[in-house]
Amino acid sequence: EAARAFADCMRARGFCLLRLPAGLGATTFRRLYSLCHAFFSLPRKFKDRSRCPTEHGFLSPPGNYECFQAKTACTPGFKWPSKVGGFREGVLEARDLLRGAALVCLDALARGLGTPPHALRGLLDGEQPELDAASMSNSALRCLCYSETAGGACYPDHTDNGLLTVCPRGTRAALELKLLDSAGYLDVERAMGEDDLLVFCGDSLSRLTANYYPALMHRPRGGGWSGAGDGEGGGGAWVQLEGSNKRYSAPYFLRARRDAELGPEALGSPVLGRMELPLAARAPLKVQHLEDNTGNCRLLFPWKLQNPYYRDFQFSD
């Protein structure tokens, strides 16, 4: 059964590759990356018009990348970019596709725990059109535009803080997964086609299940991916974008509501009920505290203190 095989893979490896219907990923994500290239090529003053206090829209954090984030909701008056025709539609189409895939995956993981789907879906935003900004989740599609770093240095190993991360391959192979069974690295995007999605676990799911579903360490390379090609070597580009030496990627982060609590005992899972849970993992933890790393809580999970796999753990939002 596909759902059981998926849950078993996530339990054993922390990640899984899925395949969309033929042509769906190629059509959706080629369009998205083309729109991203047009947007990020705009002068900064035009990109700055699409900023938002809730971090929905254009972001320019320190480092070698820029970002456009499409969250569940945004503040009234937010302006989508007008200089790139079809940008809003293309971004939301990709976001909805990846969110739909994430929900199917979440349901399969619930089955793996022996619980009904609502046991996990109940942690998510509701369907109401007006969401309370203080409690709504930080679920988002993040469109990223990377420039090469000097020497192509890698980012630090890190885990994501959400439930699941779902992403198509980027325009250039750069994402490396730290393998749970060997602590070696997998250059995963070289194994992915245009219709493939990578799914992996984050800290919220790990904390919720007392590490039954382990959070996956990963890192993007900062370079070594220049040049054209078909992705079969040399870091070449799969999606040809005229005049671009950038790398574009589009991960979707499925996150629980900020006011939700992560506690394995509250799930009522017969699978977790048969486990001897660490005392430090039993007490519920608010998602807000995990995402804000209150009291350094993300570093103090028992499995992160005990497992050498997480020795080089760095924080990520």
Side-chain angles (χ1 to χ4, degrees), residues 17 19 169 173 186-194 196 231-232 238:
L17 291 177
R19 181 153 295 168
R169 71 182 189 185
L186 173 65
D187 194 355
V188 67
E189 288 176 301
R190 293 191 185 280
M192 294 174 66
E194 287 188 308
D196 292 339
E232 295 301 322
W238 287 286

Side-chain angles (χ1 to χ4, degrees), residues 4 7-8 10-14 109 111-114 201 205-215 269 271-272 274-275 277 303:
R4 170 59 67 180
D8 289 347
M10 295 291 277
R11 164 110 171 104
R13 300 181 180 276
L109 296 178
R111 293 184 64 181
L113 294 170
C201 304
L205 185 64
S206 174
R207 178 60 170 79
L208 177 66
T209 64
N211 208 42
Y212 184 82
Y213 293 125
S269 163
V271 175
L272 299 183
R274 293 191 291 268
M275 294 172 55
L277 302 179
W303 44 91

Side-chain angles (χ1 to χ4, degrees), residues 6-16 109 164 199-201 214:
F6 171 77
D8 289 347
C9 185
M10 295 291 277
R11 164 110 171 104
R13 300 181 180 276
F15 77 95
C16 192
L109 296 178
L164 292 172
V199 184
F200 56 90
C201 304

Side-chain angles (χ1 to χ4, degrees), residues 30-258:
R30 277 181 176 264
R31 180 189 182 203
L32 176 66
Y33 290 142
S34 179
L35 292 167
C36 287
H37 176 53
F39 172 75
F40 288 111
S41 298
L42 292 172
R44 178 65 175 269
K45 65 179 181 180
F46 295 116
K47 292 182 284 190
D48 282 339
R49 294 174 183 174
S50 294
R51 291 185 181 272
C52 177
T54 61
E55 296 191 342
H56 172 102
F58 176 63
L59 302 170
S60 52
N64 71 320
Y65 71 96
E66 294 181 323
C67 170
F68 188 96
Q69 186 161 256
K71 298 179 74 172
T72 302
C74 58
T75 55
F78 172 76
K79 297 183 183 300
W80 284 84
S82 60
K83 293 286 185 180
V84 180
F87 184 80
R88 179 179 185 274
E89 292 77 13
V91 168
L92 294 184
E93 177 187 36
R95 186 192 68 182
D96 292 347
L97 174 60
L98 293 173
R99 178 175 175 81
L103 293 177
V104 171
C105 293
L106 196 69
D107 290 348
L109 296 178
R111 293 184 64 181
L113 294 170
T115 63
H118 65 74
L120 298 185
R121 286 209 186 205
L123 300 168
L124 307 178
D125 294 320
E127 299 301 324
Q128 66 272 26
E130 296 298 328
L131 298 171
D132 176 13
S135 62
M136 73 179 187
S137 80
N138 283 315
S139 294
L141 170 66
R142 191 173 289 176
C143 301
L144 296 162
C145 173
Y146 290 94
S147 300
E148 283 193 282
T149 59
C154 289
Y155 283 82
D157 292 354
H158 65 277
T159 56
D160 291 345
N161 68 27
L163 296 165
L164 292 172
T165 300
V166 183
C167 47
R169 71 182 189 185
T171 58
R172 300 174 188 270
L175 183 60
E176 297 180 344
L177 308 183
K178 187 175 183 180
L179 300 175
L180 283 162
D181 56 359
S182 69
Y185 290 90
L186 173 65
D187 194 355
V188 67
E189 288 176 301
R190 293 191 185 280
M192 294 174 66
E194 287 188 308
D195 292 322
D196 292 339
L197 297 179
L198 168 67
V199 184
F200 56 90
C201 304
D203 275 341
S204 290
L205 185 64
S206 174
R207 178 60 170 79
L208 177 66
T209 64
N211 208 42
Y212 184 82
Y213 293 125
L216 187 74
M217 298 270 278
H218 57 285
R219 65 189 187 188
R221 288 196 310 276
W225 31 257
S226 283
D230 61 2
E232 295 301 322
W238 287 286
V239 180
Q240 300 301 317
L241 299 169
E242 185 177 352
S244 174
N245 61 352
K246 307 291 188 181
R247 174 182 182 260
Y248 298 95
S249 66
Y252 177 80
F253 304 99
L254 183 68
R255 293 171 172 167
R257 297 187 321 277
R258 294 265 292 170

